[in-house]
């Protein structure tokens, strides 16, 4: 349980801490429940305009944050990620006021300190959840690609094995069976002493069976097989939805 929790928390601080999904997933919330409708003097159009411009400017901050986090790793990365998330959360109410001023739409400040505190908590939690979700999806897609490649390789090996068995049946087995039939006819034509029978069996082993087995096992396994095909578009989402 503790290990699972640590891995889940670590996903939020990994390479997917800030991606374009961070901006896109939070867009519906920025335009609805976090739009700040109570601070805008106007109708839905004005609220949507202010919240939309605020989130657009927030996208620029996310790009800056992603650039900063690229240079941070090791034990300092969790602290850096939380700090970037917190700074972006604190900047949201200020960006809201700036967006209203740029659009000429009256907005009220309200309890700015309280709004910034709430925004820091909400943004930090939401961005961390989005980062963990993106990391899980990326890991699942990697596993899916490896499983798909393994399945393709197994299918190709099965087809190649079937073809090889067919070749074996058409060449080596037929040759061995023909030689054995000839030897049986020779043995039945006249009485053979033990020494002569031993020489016949040795000749069959050296001249027929051994060359046939060498020809079979000297073939290159899987020679000329194509590379595994990548998953088709939409195949992974379909598999994920069924699961």
């Amino acid at each position: 349980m503790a290990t699972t929790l640590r891995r889940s928390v670590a996903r939020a601080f990994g390479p997917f801490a800030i991606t374009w999904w961070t901006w896109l997933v939070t867009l519906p919330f920025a335009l609805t429940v976090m739009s700040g409708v109570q601070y805008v003097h106007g109708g839905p159009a004005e609220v949507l305009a202010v919240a939309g411009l605020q989130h657009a400017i927030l996208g620029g901050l996310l790009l800056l944050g992603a650039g900063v986090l690229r240079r941070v790793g090791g034990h300092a990365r969790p602290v850096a990620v939380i700090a970037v998330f917190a700074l972006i959360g604190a900047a949201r109410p200020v960006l809201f006021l700036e967006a209203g001023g740029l659009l000429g739409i009256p907005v009220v400040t309200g309890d700015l300190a309280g709004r910034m505190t709430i925004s820091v908590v909400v943004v930090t939690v939401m961005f961390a959840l989005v980062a963990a979700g993106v990391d899980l999806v990326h890991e699942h897609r990697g596993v899916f690609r490896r499983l798909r490649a393994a399945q393709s390789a197994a299918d190709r090996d099965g087809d190649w094995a079937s073809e090889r068995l067919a070749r074996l049946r058409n060449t080596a087995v037929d040759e061995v069976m023909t030689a054995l039939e000839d030897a049986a006819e020779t043995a039945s034509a006249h009485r053979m002493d033990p020494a002569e029978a031993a020489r016949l069996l040795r000749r069959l082993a050296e001249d027929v069976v051994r060359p046939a087995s060498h020809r079979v096992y000297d073939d290159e396994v899987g020679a000329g097989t194509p590379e595994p095909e990548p998953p088709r578009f939409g195949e992974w989402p379909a598999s994920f939805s069924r699961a």
Side-chain angles (χ1 to χ4, degrees):
M1 181 65 180
T3 303
T4 303
L5 181 61
R6 284 196 300 269
R7 289 185 60 187
S8 300
V9 172
R11 292 181 187 278
F13 308 133
F16 303 101
I18 294 180
T19 62
W20 70 280
W21 285 105
T22 308
W23 184 88
L24 187 63
V25 171
T26 54
L27 175 61
F29 299 95
L31 299 182
T32 54
V33 295
M34 297 179 66
S35 63
V37 59
Q38 68 271 31
Y39 301 107
V40 179
H41 293 293
E46 287 76 12
V47 174
L48 188 64
V50 174
L53 180 57
Q54 176 204 40
H55 202 63
I57 301 173
L58 189 74
L61 291 181
L62 287 173
L63 288 176
L64 291 175
V68 170
L69 293 180
R70 285 196 195 99
R71 302 176 180 272
V72 181
H75 297 293
R77 184 170 178 84
V79 177
V81 171
I82 293 177
V84 170
F85 288 173
L87 287 174
I88 293 175
R92 283 191 76 258
V94 178
L95 295 179
F96 186 83
L97 298 176
E98 293 297 327
L102 291 174
L103 296 174
I105 298 175
V107 295
V108 296
T109 304
D111 182 7
L112 187 59
R115 292 173 61 189
M116 293 176 69
T117 302
I118 294 173
S119 181
V120 167
V121 174
V122 172
V123 167
T124 302
V125 172
M126 288 193 65
F127 284 6
L129 290 175
V130 172
V134 172
D135 188 73
L136 278 170
V137 170
H138 185 269
E139 180 180 316
H140 188 273
R141 291 190 65 180
V143 172
F144 181 82
R145 284 194 295 268
R146 290 192 292 272
L147 289 176
R148 172 67 186 275
Q151 182 182 8
S152 299
D155 292 341
R156 292 195 315 274
D157 288 344
D159 294 340
W160 183 85
S162 299
E163 295 176 1
R164 185 174 182 181
L165 287 175
R167 288 201 309 270
L168 177 62
R169 177 66 180 88
N170 294 330
T171 56
V173 172
D174 288 344
E175 292 177 5
V176 172
M177 292 301 297
T178 300
L180 291 177
E181 290 174 358
D182 293 341
E185 291 179 0
T186 302
S188 61
H190 63 281
R191 186 178 180 84
M192 301 178 64
D193 56 35
E196 186 179 359
R199 286 193 298 271
L200 176 61
L201 293 176
R202 188 180 302 110
R203 187 171 65 252
L204 287 174
E206 294 180 354
D207 297 342
V208 179
V209 178
R210 182 178 299 173
S213 64
H214 283 207
R215 185 168 64 252
V216 171
Y217 289 105
D218 285 343
D219 290 343
E220 293 186 10
V221 178
T225 55
E227 292 295 325
E229 297 179 359
R232 294 184 295 272
F233 179 77
E235 186 175 6
W236 174 82
S239 175
F240 183 79
S241 299
R242 287 194 299 268

